[in-house]
């Protein structure tokens, strides 16, 4: 089950479960579309994996499978060369 983390690790912008601008890697590191493309070149700075659009969980499933409340914010590691 995807965690659906609530924010971008680079800029800390909110990424609610319905956000179409959320991007994730295979380890669920989470970034906004802007940081993923402009700062990171489509690659996760933590593991090097491709950043892809995060699926949107159907609203009817959010009560049973809620998103994560844990915010991860690592602005120091927000560059493609990390």
């Amino acid at each position: 089950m995807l965690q659906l983390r609530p924010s971008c690790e680079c800029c800390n912008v909110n990424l609610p479960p319905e956000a179409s601008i959320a991007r994730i890697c295979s380890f669920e590191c989470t970034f906004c579309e802007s940081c993923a493309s402009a700062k990171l070149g489509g690659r996760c700075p933590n593991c090097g994996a491709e950043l892809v659009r995060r699926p949107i969980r159907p609203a009817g499933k959010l009560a049973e499978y809620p998103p994560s409340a844990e915010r991860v914010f690592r602005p120091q590691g927000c560059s493609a060369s990390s």
Side-chain angles (χ1 to χ4, degrees), residues 5-6 14-23 53-57:
R5 294 179 186 166
N14 289 330
L15 295 171
E18 69 278 3
S20 63
I21 63 165
R23 301 293 182 262
R53 185 174 181 269
R54 181 180 73 187
I56 295 174
R57 185 166 298 155

Side-chain angles (χ1 to χ4, degrees), residues 2-3 5 9 24-30 44 46-50:
L2 288 175
Q3 291 181 351
R5 294 179 186 166
E9 289 187 25
I24 60 171
C25 73
S26 62
F27 291 98
E28 297 186 55
C29 300
T30 304
C44 177
N46 303 318
C47 69
E50 177 185 19

Side-chain angles (χ1 to χ4, degrees), residues 1 3 7 13-14 24 30 34-35 37 46-47 61 64 68 75:
M1 184 67 55
Q3 291 181 351
S7 60
V13 69
N14 289 330
I24 60 171
T30 304
S34 178
C35 288
S37 60
N46 303 318
C47 69
K61 297 290 184 182
E64 187 176 357
S68 174

Side-chain angles (χ1 to χ4, degrees), residues 37-78:
S37 60
K39 294 180 183 178
L40 303 174
R43 293 280 169 199
C44 177
N46 303 318
C47 69
E50 177 185 19
L51 293 170
V52 298
R53 185 174 181 269
R54 181 180 73 187
I56 295 174
R57 185 166 298 155
K61 297 290 184 182
L62 288 173
E64 187 176 357
Y65 303 103
S68 174
E70 178 186 355
R71 295 180 84 88
V72 178
F73 184 45
R74 299 182 184 140
Q76 73 283 0
C78 196

